């Protein structure tokens, strides 16, 4: 069997897998539509293989087969995601509300798909797949699928698609590069300690501009810092959309830590918490978290001196740009999604309904409902008669029923 046969066979097996998943029941058409788009994409891959084979150009055929293999590898996890999105453990009640928020922040053609994931932390596949250019895939940890109080964490994942849609990497890359250069200049002794082959150099503008190795170091630092400031921006989107419920859900899922070494592409948990508390516009003292950053701790991986230098530089740049990231997110949310963002004055009425064990009657937005749920949870006012049910489970049901009311009211208003 040659590579053409093998690749065509694998691609057809991929398409057959899609056809099998399409036999499922879909609570929302976005999933089936996504599967059909991916199917069409892979039918085109088979046509590419056939054209390459007909050309009798072996180099071209090998290149095409390699590309198709890469695409199978890339899209197979997406098939799993789409299959899991049909599972009844998902909080389908929140689908419509998140779709509205995504449409306002990203564009009217944005399509949201929720799925339960076997990852402890929420994950996202932003709009970066050629076959699914308008899709935002939001995965929530399966063990929390029934816990509506963690829904605000999807605001962070939505932020990744906003970052991509707004092309914010291009916007902030110059600031990051300048930050890397400033760090190297200000910490030249540490740079020489990490890169002793440059001990005879001086940190001049000319050296930083012309020395290819230093330019590569600047590029490495900048890439690491760009990963970090994107995560900071996404925390900012979650904070400005959901208010205190984002911070409380963040604390619920991540504090004090997950016990693993800190990933250098992320700011430290302590720094992320500090930014949320300082720039998120949330008075966390009112929610029993007066020193939010101290609720978290970080464990550092073993690093070489060069890795330490890169990490320290990226952390410094992230700290310097954190306020700007929160300001940028606030500007976008205020311009595009103000009608959905949390409004403190809208929450007391919902809390009163929850205290009487009934859903909200006229909820304004998803963030208002979830914030009210957290406020009710923290109030210690019972009002719960079904003593055999957990408090979070009961409140989650009130939250999800209220979200259904929100969808009904919005759909009838727009009918």
């Amino acid at each position: 069997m040659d590579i053409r046969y093998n690749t065509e066979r694998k691609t057809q097996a991929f398409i057959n897998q899609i056809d099998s998943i399409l036999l499922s029941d879909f609570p929302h058409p976005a999933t089936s539509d996504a599967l059909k788009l991916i199917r069409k994409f892979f039918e085109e891959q088979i046509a590419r293989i056939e054209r390459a084979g007909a050309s009798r150009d072996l180099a071209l055929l090998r290149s095409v087969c390699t590309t198709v293999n890469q695409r199978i590898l890339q899209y197979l996890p997406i098939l799993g995601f789409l299959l899991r999105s049909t599972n009844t453990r998902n909080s389908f009640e929140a689908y419509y509300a998140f779709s509205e928020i995504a449409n306002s922040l990203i564009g009217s053609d944005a399509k949201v798909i929720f799925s339960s994931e076997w990852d402890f932390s929420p994950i996202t596949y932003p709009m970066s797949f050629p076959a699914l250019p308008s899709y935002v895939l939001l995965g929530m940890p399966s063990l929390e699928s029934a816990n509506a109080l963690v829904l605000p964490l999807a605001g962070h994942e939505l932020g990744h698609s906003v970052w991509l849609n707004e092309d914010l990497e291009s916007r902030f890359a110059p600031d990051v590069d300048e930050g890397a250069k400033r760090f190297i200049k200000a910490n030249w002794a540490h740079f020489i300690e990490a890169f002793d082959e440059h001990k005879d150099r001086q940190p001049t503008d000319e050296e930083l501009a012309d020395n290819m190795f230093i330019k590569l170091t600047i590029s490495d630092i900048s890439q690491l810092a760009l990963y970090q400031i994107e995560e900071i921006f996404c925390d900012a989107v979650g904070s400005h959309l959901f208010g205190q419920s984002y911070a409380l859900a963040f604390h619920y899922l991540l504090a004090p830590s997950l016990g693993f070494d800190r990933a250098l592409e992320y700011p430290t948990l302590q720094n992320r918490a500090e930014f949320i508390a300082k720039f998120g516009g949330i008075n966390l003292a009112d929610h029993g978290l007066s020193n939010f950053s101290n609720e978290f701790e970080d464990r550092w991986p073993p690093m070489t001196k060069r890795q330490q230098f890169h990490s320290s530089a990226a952390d410094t740049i992230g700290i310097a740009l954190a306020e700007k990231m929160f300001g940028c997110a606030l500007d976008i949310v205020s311009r595009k999604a103000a009608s959905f963002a949390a409004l403190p004055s809208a929450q007391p009425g919902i809390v009163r309904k929850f205290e009487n064990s009934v859903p909200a009657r006229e909820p304004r937005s998803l963030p208002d409902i979830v914030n009210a749920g957290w406020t009710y949870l923290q109030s210690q006012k019972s009002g719960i008669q079904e003593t055999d049910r957990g408090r979070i489970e009961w409140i989650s049901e009130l939250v999800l029923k209220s979200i259904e009311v929100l969808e009904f009211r919005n759909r009838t208003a727009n009918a």
Side-chain angles (χ1 to χ4, degrees), residues 195-228:
F195 307 98
D196 59 357
E197 64 269 34
H198 294 280
K199 59 180 177 293
D200 296 329
R201 306 282 184 177
Q202 294 298 319
T204 63
D205 291 337
E206 293 76 15
E207 194 70 48
L208 268 61
D210 298 334
N211 185 302
M212 291 302 297
F213 180 82
I214 296 178
K215 287 171 68 175
L216 180 60
T217 302
I218 291 170
S219 176
D220 290 342
I221 291 170
S222 295
Q223 188 57 63
L224 195 59
L226 281 168
Y227 286 136
Q228 287 201 19

Side-chain angles (χ1 to χ4, degrees), residues 82 107 126 174 182-183 189 238 302-303 379-380:
L82 296 176
R182 285 196 300 271
F183 184 88
M303 292 186 287
S379 70
Q380 301 300 313

Side-chain angles (χ1 to χ4, degrees), residues 101 104-105 240-241 330-343 364-365 367-368:
I101 294 172
S104 65
L105 285 173
H240 291 312
L241 270 176
L330 177 60
D331 174 66
I332 292 170
V333 170
S334 299
R335 285 189 292 106
K336 296 187 173 184
S339 61
F340 301 104
L343 184 66
R364 171 185 162 273
S365 72
D368 291 339

Side-chain angles (χ1 to χ4, degrees), residues 142-406:
S142 59
L143 76 163
E144 299 293 347
S145 294
N147 181 4
L149 298 179
V150 302
L151 285 173
L153 297 177
H156 174 103
E157 308 310 326
L158 185 59
H160 286 290
S161 289
V162 177
W163 175 272
L164 188 65
N165 187 62
E166 298 280 340
D167 193 21
L168 296 179
E169 181 171 325
S170 295
R171 175 176 167 183
F172 291 109
D175 292 340
V176 169
D177 280 343
E178 286 303 313
K181 293 173 185 176
R182 285 196 300 271
F183 184 88
I184 290 174
K185 285 183 177 181
N187 296 272
W188 187 252
H190 294 297
F191 178 84
I192 294 302
E193 186 179 349
F195 307 98
D196 59 357
E197 64 269 34
H198 294 280
K199 59 180 177 293
D200 296 329
R201 306 282 184 177
Q202 294 298 319
T204 63
D205 291 337
E206 293 76 15
E207 194 70 48
L208 268 61
D210 298 334
N211 185 302
M212 291 302 297
F213 180 82
I214 296 178
K215 287 171 68 175
L216 180 60
T217 302
I218 291 170
S219 176
D220 290 342
I221 291 170
S222 295
Q223 188 57 63
L224 195 59
L226 281 168
Y227 286 136
Q228 287 201 19
I229 67 168
E230 179 178 349
E231 297 298 332
I232 296 168
F233 172 83
C234 293
D235 280 338
V237 171
S239 298
H240 291 312
L241 270 176
F242 284 91
Q244 74 266 21
S245 63
Y246 180 77
L248 294 169
F250 185 93
H251 179 266
Y252 167 80
L253 200 68
L254 299 178
S257 79
L258 299 183
F260 297 108
D261 289 343
R262 171 253 176 125
L264 301 183
E265 293 83 6
Y266 286 74
T268 65
L269 279 174
Q270 282 199 325
N271 281 347
R272 290 176 68 184
E274 179 75 20
F275 302 150
I276 292 168
K278 192 172 182 180
F279 307 124
I282 309 164
N283 187 352
L284 289 171
D286 290 346
H287 302 279
L289 296 169
S290 57
N291 200 339
F292 193 45
S293 64
N294 280 352
E295 297 286 318
F296 300 87
E297 57 189 32
D298 294 275
R299 193 172 76 180
W300 292 81
M303 292 186 287
T304 65
K305 288 183 178 181
R306 297 189 177 196
Q307 290 172 324
Q308 290 174 3
F309 188 86
H310 286 163
S311 174
S312 180
D315 288 347
T316 300
I317 294 167
I319 292 169
L321 292 177
E323 185 173 9
K324 186 176 286 190
M325 293 302 101
F326 272 76
C328 177
L330 177 60
D331 174 66
I332 292 170
V333 170
S334 299
R335 285 189 292 106
K336 296 187 173 184
S339 61
F340 301 104
L343 184 66
S345 62
Q347 296 160 29
I350 303 175
V351 174
R352 286 194 292 271
K353 291 293 184 182
F354 289 175
E355 290 171 350
N356 289 292
S357 302
V358 295
R361 182 178 179 181
E362 298 180 356
R364 171 185 162 273
S365 72
L366 170 64
D368 291 339
I369 296 169
V370 183
N371 279 344
W374 274 104
T375 297
Y376 178 43
L377 176 65
Q378 292 186 310
S379 70
Q380 301 300 313
K381 294 179 180 178
S382 177
I384 298 175
Q385 303 303 317
E386 298 180 69
T387 55
D388 59 328
R389 301 179 68 186
R391 184 179 295 270
I392 288 181
E393 182 183 353
W394 173 263
I395 294 173
S396 291
E397 185 169 321
L398 288 173
V399 168
L400 292 174
K401 291 297 182 184
S402 299
I403 295 171
E404 287 184 316
V405 173
L406 173 67

